[in-house]
């Protein structure tokens, strides 16, 4: 029988998987070889988290599916991640701002989920808190370096904040997915995390001589309902191509 919080687990797993895919695109493209490795390792942390969550999801949603089924054999409308994680790779400043936001949210959300009534979810969240703190610190150090660096790096960080702005509100939207999980005593409402997350981010940006995340007349919505931007289709086509071209293959 499907558990009420299965959609939440799917959403968290999809957030991690899709962002891991984006971070992997920086390998050989980051400003220095150490950063190739750093972003790659952060992506691997997220991939490991996604695998654990998909394993849990297979028992919660009553399908018995495995991680490959969820990653490779679902279509775009079946994914439940937020829009920010699927956006195409831009310059390095954009990635640092995105990582700062995503990891700051992960720290707060996973800390709350570590006391979840679902023991397996709590276990995954407890491990993720430690990883996410490292991810957040890595983003913080780069934000300080770039924001308070050269005129050019500062300009690019300002542009990155403007590019990210339309996707921030969705991160803290209380959708039916989160509400159902909270009603079941398992989840946490994103709106309750907003002050802590944005407070940390704003402090980092102020220290980096940046004015903060600007307001935006545009805003993304619908990711938790399977409504995605054009970028998602291209990302999934690349990620799923090999598995779908050779179904059943093993290596």
């Amino acid at each position: 029988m499907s558990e009420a919080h299965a959609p939440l687990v799917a959403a968290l797993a999809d957030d991690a998987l899709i962002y891991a895919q984006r971070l992997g695109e920086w390998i050989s493209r980051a400003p220095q070889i150490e950063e190739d490795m750093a972003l790659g390792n952060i992506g691997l942390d997220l991939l490991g988290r996604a695998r654990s969550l998909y394993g849990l999801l297979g028992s919660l949603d009553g399908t018995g599916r495995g991680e490959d089924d969820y990653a490779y054999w679902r279509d775009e409308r079946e994914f439940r991640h937020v829009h920010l994680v699927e956006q195409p790779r831009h310059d390095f400043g954009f990635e640092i701002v995105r990582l700062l936001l995503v990891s700051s949210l992960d720290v707060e959300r996973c800390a709350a989920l570590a006391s979840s009534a679902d023991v397996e979810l709590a276990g995954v969240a407890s491990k993720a808190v430690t990883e996410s703190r490292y991810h957040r610190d890595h983003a913080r150090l780069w934000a300080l370096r770039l924001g308070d660096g050269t005129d050019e790096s500062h300009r690019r960080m300002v542009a990155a904040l403007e590019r990210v702005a339309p996707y921030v509100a969705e991160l803290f939207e209380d959708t039916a997915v989160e509400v159902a999980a909270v009603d079941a005593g398992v989840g946490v409402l994103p709106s309750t995390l907003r002050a802590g997350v944005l407070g940390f981010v704003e402090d980092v940006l102020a220290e980096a001589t940046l004015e903060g995340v600007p307001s935006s007349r545009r805003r993304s919505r619908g990711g938790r309902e399977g409504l995605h931007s054009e970028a998602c289709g291209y990302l999934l086509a690349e990620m799923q191509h090999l598995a779908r071209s050779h179904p059943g293959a093993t290596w």
Side-chain angles (χ1 to χ4, degrees), residues 165-182:
Y167 305 102
V168 173
E170 186 186 18
L171 300 178
F172 306 103
E173 184 179 4
D174 297 335
T175 68
V177 170
E178 289 86 10
V179 171
V182 169

Side-chain angles (χ1 to χ4, degrees), residues 4 15-16 19 23 35 40 48 53 61 81 84 95 104 132 134 137 140 143 166 192-193 228 234:
D15 283 348
Y19 196 32
L23 287 171
E35 195 58 21
L53 290 168
D61 66 9
H81 56 273
L84 179 59
E95 201 59 71
S104 297
S132 297
Y134 162 74
D137 189 55
R140 173 183 172 274
T192 65
L193 307 176
H228 298 290
Y234 291 104

